[in-house]
Amino acid sequence: MTEEQLKKLLQDMSRKEKIGQLLQVTGGFYTGESILTGPVRESGITEEGVACAGSAIGLFGAEKYKEVQRDYMEKHPHKIPILVMLDVINGFKTIYPIPLAQGAAFEPKVAEDCARMAAKEAAVSGVHVTFSPMVDLVRDARWGRVMESTGEDAKLNSDYACAMVKGYQGDAVGEKDRIAACVKHFAGYGAPIAGREYNTVELSENTLRGYYFPAYEAAVKQGAEVVMTSFNTLGGIPSTGNKWLMRQVLRGEMGFDGVLISDWAAIEELIYHGYAEGREDAAKKALEAGVDIDMMTGVYISELEKLLDNGTVKEELLDEAVYRILGLKNKMGLFENPVKDADAEREKEIILCKEHRETARRAAEKSFVLLENDGILPLKKKEKIAFIGPFAEEKEIYGAWSMLAKPEDTVSVKEAAHNYADEFSFTFAKGAPVLGVSEWEIVPGYEGAGEKEAALAEEERLLQEAKELAALADKVVLLLGEHRRMSGEAASRTKLKLPQVQRRLLREIVKVNPEAVIVLFTGRPLDLSEEKELAKAMLTVWMPGTEGGAAIMRTLTGEVNPSGKLPMSFPRCVGQEPLNYNEYFTGRPYEDGCEERMYRSNYRDVQNSPLYPFGYGLSYTKFAYGEIELDKDSLTEKTSIRAEITVKNIGLYEGSETVQLYVQDCVGSVVRPKRELKAYEKISLAPGEEKRVSFIITEEMLRFCRADLSFGSEAGRFRVFIGGDSSAKKSKEFMLETE
Ligand code: BGC
């Protein structure tokens, strides 16, 4: 449709139809799976509303979609197609590693590829928009949703945000096999106080602008078509009714002109926040803030008419929102072709196809982070290996959001191990359930082994069986971790240790066989201080997805050399949270190892540093870093500095290393972080090989949110660090000079 035609359509629509465009309901209302029960009606959603809702959430399957779209359009007075949205987070049916794991690859292209393939599977199944990427910056591992983020660093998150938007949308959402990206949750949702889900967020404007906004902005600039509001308040105002945030920052400063959708029921929640008097007030505040779509409440649909009639809300506000929604439908080509890419034949061909599975496997391999290794890994041929732990046969290794994933499509470690049966001798034992009897409540509905007494007896039996196997093996691989529902939405925790029952298993197993490796399944950083002492190697595999087992076996056997780096700091204990590498010095700086000194910014019982820092990850080989060389010792707005370093593989295996460059701005109009990631490059080196890695430092890299909240650099002294993680020691100073 041309712009004129679209405007004409808007003019021709009745007010009811227009308001309908702002409603989003579940797809189930169109397939008969959901019904208008009492509570749904109370929320204002009616048959009439459903009949003209502009979008649906959670509808998929080409045939089903086509049928729904046909029926819907037939009844729609202006034959406007319905837009279909879904949470395609780390994959549709082929499941890629969770976003936090993808962040660990330090290779945004990995996320782009995963997003492109996820888009294709979703598109052929009738989906138009995904509620991804989540680009919330996260510093607190107590918050369960850190698994959906790519971590604690603004630059890494921004790079990934762009890559994912590109992967989903390509050059244009109307193109074949593309879907629109919805960036979420604007803004600051990743910083709930105390890591408690849906809690208040208190961030200074400087921190918001300097650290939290950049990834959203990057995604918007990359062309993301949709943005989702966040549940939290900022400065006491819930995002969903925050005019400054949505109108001034998002639309004005960042230049977003796409569709803004509320998070699930967030418009109605303005009332519970105590920010809106009632439904009318909530509708008014959200629309005035510029929220176009009301996800899953009937606040807009039941209240807007009155507000427009009595002039409380201007008609232009409604028209503006509707026009944006129609605009997205038009960009997707739905008016001309409401079927878009939905195609049952292609669904069979594309979903879980070889290419997608291979990409999933490679992405998983790149995301694994080797935390410890005294040389016990990789496993050597002919060794007798006992695989012990609840994740040895587990197939639900795809993270909390993979609602369409099926265990039968997933490769477990045990299944993948069959391919190595000729070279190794493997035995398997579960050893323990994921959660012990005393901790079932962590996962609502967790299926323990029946009655508590019987479950306890089963725990003992599993442990004894595992100990016997461990005693007979050369090495033990302990596959431990979190249940997939221990991270994700509504999964905040105050304890960050592995479940007790699994820690007991670990302690008992190392008593009978200390040659122990831990393979850790997790959706968040954990406190691994005990595990570090007990195991000889530790490999974090996150929630690795459909091909997880294959990727793990290839890594354990040395076919693949781990190269992932932590996108979030791993704490020594939960009391350190929130924890991020780019903290400020404070007026009483503290160095690790000086605990005996009083009146410093430190804890009395634990070091300040994390157990494993941001950017950290080992390899089966070793890399030696030379000295940093700068081609000049100063730069200006017009000139740059080349920073170079030689990295050599001094170990026995070929491997990849992510060389990271951090900058410290020594003095600023606001205090500056100890260091900040500014660039990174992944290189591959054969044993004995060395490469010169060079980075260009520009004035642009040195810009930050200054005291007056403007972005810019400030002349003065800087320090550059280059190394394999955020604690890199090698450094050189340089100056930024004014022209
Ligand atoms: C989550 C969003 C998600 C939405 C729709 C909400 O509870 O916060 O991230 O996209 O549900 O499923």
Side-chain angles (χ1 to χ4, degrees):
M1 258 192 214
T2 63
E3 227 172 278
E4 278 79 69
Q5 287 170 314
L6 209 60
K7 283 191 180 137
K8 171 83 178 43
L9 173 63
L10 180 68
Q11 268 172 19
D12 291 348
M13 287 165 77
S14 69
R15 194 191 262 168
K16 269 215 161 49
E17 272 178 73
K18 288 200 262 184
I19 295 174
Q21 287 300 311
L22 312 194
L23 173 66
Q24 177 164 104
V25 292
T26 52
F29 285 115
Y30 302 98
T31 57
E33 286 147 291
S34 306
I35 41 167
L36 284 162
T37 54
V40 181
R41 277 184 200 282
E42 274 162 37
S43 82
I45 298 173
T46 58
E47 279 92 356
E48 215 188 358
V50 170
C52 67
S55 57
I57 170 175
L59 177 67
F60 50 86
E63 286 307 321
K64 203 197 276 178
Y65 162 77
K66 286 203 262 186
E67 209 175 301
V68 166
Q69 187 68 285
R70 198 174 45 236
D71 289 354
Y72 175 91
M73 287 178 69
E74 251 170 43
K75 291 182 203 136
H76 195 281
H78 281 95
K79 310 281 169 257
I80 299 176
I82 194 163
L83 196 61
V84 173
M85 310 198 185
L86 184 73
D87 288 278
V88 180
I89 307 297
N90 45 307
F92 181 73
K93 287 193 180 164
T94 306
I95 305 300
Y96 303 94
I98 54 169
L100 191 63
Q102 294 185 29
F106 268 67
E107 201 180 319
K109 182 69 174 52
V110 167
E112 185 185 329
D113 291 345
C114 296
R116 190 179 66 251
M117 292 177 194
K120 197 168 178 181
E121 291 194 5
V124 296
S125 199
V127 175
H128 308 134
V129 180
T130 174
F131 295 129
S132 169
M134 180 183 111
V135 305
D136 303 320
L137 187 114
V138 292
R139 295 174 164 179
D140 196 331
R142 291 172 296 182
W143 192 49
R145 300 195 79 168
V146 301
M147 62 144 293
E148 294 171 59
S149 159
T150 49
E152 71 182 49
D153 183 72
K155 171 164 174 59
L156 195 67
N157 285 357
S158 301
D159 293 351
Y160 270 84
C162 290
M164 289 190 204
V165 171
K166 208 161 147 205
Y168 291 127
Q169 296 192 170
D171 296 326
V173 287
E175 283 177 0
K176 194 170 172 209
D177 297 340
R178 297 303 191 170
I179 59 177
C182 169
V183 179
K184 64 189 189 185
H185 307 80
F186 196 66
Y189 181 37
I193 291 178
R196 200 184 75 210
E197 184 65 297
Y198 314 129
N199 203 5
T200 308
V201 170
E202 281 298 348
L203 294 170
S204 73
E205 193 171 336
N206 190 280
T207 302
L208 256 181
R209 289 184 179 277
Y211 304 91
Y212 287 79
F213 283 169
Y216 305 111
E217 183 163 12
V220 165
K221 297 258 153 71
Q222 185 63 42
E225 297 287 353
V226 184
V227 170
M228 187 187 290
T229 69
S230 60
F231 286 129
N232 56 279
T233 58
L234 271 182
I237 301 179
S239 299
T240 309
N242 194 330
K243 216 164 157 180
W244 166 79
L245 185 66
M246 302 304 173
R247 296 253 178 214
Q248 185 176 317
V249 178
L250 178 67
R251 297 213 186 270
E253 299 175 24
M254 297 185 184
F256 178 66
D257 62 358
V259 172
L260 180 59
I261 185 169
S262 78
D263 200 347
W264 186 286
I267 298 185
E268 192 174 295
E269 287 174 15
L270 295 179
I271 304 167
Y272 315 130
H273 274 291
Y275 185 67
E277 184 59 47
R279 296 168 62 85
E280 271 187 35
D281 196 23
K284 175 176 180 293
K285 288 192 162 125
L287 196 69
E288 281 179 353
V291 180
D292 302 321
I293 299 182
D294 178 356
M295 188 198 291
M296 275 313 285
T297 73
V299 171
Y300 274 173
I301 199 136
S302 66
E303 310 303 319
L304 282 181
E305 188 122 33
K306 276 176 272 174
L307 294 169
L308 291 158
D309 276 343
N310 64 26
T312 313
V313 167
K314 293 202 193 83
E315 196 88 29
E316 298 91 86
L317 282 186
L318 172 66
D319 284 357
E320 187 193 285
V322 176
Y323 192 68
R324 282 195 285 257
I325 297 163
L326 296 179
L328 179 57
K329 294 182 180 186
N330 195 33
K331 273 192 187 174
M332 303 211 78
L334 291 178
F335 289 106
E336 288 76 20
N337 176 19
V339 167
K340 181 118 175 25
D341 303 311
D343 184 332
E345 279 311 304
R346 289 186 72 223
E347 264 182 318
K348 285 185 214 139
E349 191 188 298
I350 285 165
I351 292 176
L352 286 155
C353 67
K354 195 162 167 252
E355 187 195 3
H356 292 189
R357 280 183 169 278
E358 274 174 13
T359 301
R361 197 204 70 227
R362 270 197 304 274
E365 289 164 2
K366 288 185 175 197
S367 76
F368 296 167
V369 183
L370 186 66
L371 298 174
E372 299 285 338
N373 188 19
D374 76 345
I376 187 171
L377 286 179
L379 303 174
K380 316 282 174 308
K381 289 190 178 153
K382 304 277 177 265
E383 283 176 338
K384 271 193 280 172
I385 313 289
F387 282 95
I388 293 173
F391 286 87
E393 287 189 52
E394 183 58 64
K395 285 172 162 255
E396 295 206 8
I397 50 175
Y398 27 64
W401 272 106
S402 307
M403 283 166 285
L404 306 187
K406 290 204 189 109
E408 60 267 33
D409 294 328
T410 311
V411 180
S412 70
V413 170
K414 187 173 182 183
E415 283 165 343
H418 286 312
N419 297 337
Y420 301 82
D422 295 345
E423 300 153 319
F424 295 86
S425 134
F426 294 135
T427 53
F428 294 87
K430 185 169 178 182
V434 176
L435 291 167
V437 168
S438 60
E439 29 192 14
W440 287 355
E441 72 286 351
I442 299 176
V443 175
Y446 177 77
E447 282 180 31
E451 288 301 306
K452 293 215 159 170
E453 236 164 74
L456 271 176
E458 177 65 1
E459 278 178 26
E460 287 310 313
R461 189 192 69 76
L462 290 173
L463 178 63
Q464 291 318 317
E465 178 189 72
K467 279 167 78 170
E468 281 161 30
L469 271 195
L472 298 173
D474 296 324
K475 289 176 182 170
V476 184
V477 175
L478 282 144
L479 298 117
L480 310 177
E482 291 195 325
H483 186 280
R484 79 182 186 99
R485 294 228 168 263
M486 282 168 76
S487 55
E489 187 172 351
S492 291
R493 289 215 312 271
T494 61
K495 298 182 187 76
L496 292 177
K497 287 187 185 291
L498 274 175
Q500 284 172 32
V501 71
Q502 296 188 50
R503 276 187 287 138
R504 177 172 173 229
L505 172 68
L506 167 66
R507 286 183 208 125
E508 293 297 314
I509 292 295
V510 295
K511 278 186 207 157
V512 296
N513 191 339
E515 295 303 305
V517 172
I518 295 177
V519 173
L520 179 74
F521 293 75
T522 183
R524 50 147 65 89
L526 293 174
D527 162 2
L528 300 171
S529 34
E530 185 182 4
E531 290 71 14
K532 178 180 156 77
E533 297 308 317
L534 295 179
K536 296 203 162 164
M538 200 150 43
L539 182 74
T540 300
V541 298
W542 314 104
M543 289 287 154
T546 305
E547 289 289 320
I552 291 167
M553 284 309 299
R554 280 165 56 89
T555 308
L556 291 175
T557 55
E559 253 171 282
V560 168
N561 190 349
S563 61
K565 299 281 189 176
L566 294 179
M568 273 188 92
S569 312
F570 273 45
R572 292 176 191 276
C573 66
V574 69
Q576 290 181 303
E577 296 290 330
L579 186 62
N580 53 292
Y581 80 95
N582 50 349
E583 60 175 7
Y584 302 124
F585 282 93
T586 79
R588 299 193 173 192
Y590 150 91
E591 293 291 329
D592 270 344
C594 305
E595 288 79 24
E596 71 283 2
R597 290 176 62 189
M598 297 276 285
Y599 308 110
R600 299 276 114 195
S601 178
N602 64 305
Y603 299 106
R604 303 277 354 141
D605 56 352
V606 72
Q607 290 172 42
N608 280 12
S609 61
L611 189 66
Y612 300 110
F614 172 83
Y616 171 86
L618 304 173
S619 163
Y620 292 153
T621 194
K622 278 205 163 46
F623 300 103
Y625 282 74
E627 295 306 318
I628 301 174
E629 280 176 35
L630 304 183
D631 69 344
K632 315 186 201 52
D633 53 16
S634 70
L635 79 162
T636 65
E637 230 175 274
K638 296 207 181 93
T639 62
S640 57
I641 294 179
R642 179 188 297 273
E644 288 195 334
I645 198 159
T646 300
V647 184
K648 185 172 183 181
N649 181 345
I650 54 166
L652 300 174
Y653 302 88
E654 180 174 354
S656 296
E657 168 74 335
T658 298
V659 183
Q660 300 157 45
L661 178 139
Y662 295 85
V663 171
Q664 178 201 344
D665 182 349
C666 300
V667 179
S669 60
V670 291
V671 295
R672 306 289 297 122
K674 289 181 173 169
R675 58 180 67 185
E676 281 180 305
L677 181 71
K678 293 291 176 189
Y680 49 91
E681 192 183 324
K682 198 184 268 190
I683 53 167
S684 289
L685 293 173
E689 193 187 356
E690 62 178 41
K691 267 189 193 155
R692 196 107 176 114
V693 180
S694 75
F695 297 99
I696 302 294
I697 303 172
T698 62
E699 178 271 336
E700 203 183 336
M701 277 182 180
L702 309 177
R703 294 182 194 166
F704 65 100
C705 184
R706 297 178 290 199
D708 64 359
L709 299 179
S710 68
F711 262 81
S713 59
E714 290 174 353
R717 199 159 46 86
F718 291 79
R719 197 166 286 135
V720 55
F721 301 83
I722 303 180
D725 64 61
S726 61
S727 71
K729 299 278 177 296
K730 299 208 162 161
S731 77
K732 274 265 155 69
E733 282 201 6
F734 66 90
M735 298 292 291
L736 171 66
E737 281 162 5
T738 36
E739 286 284 318

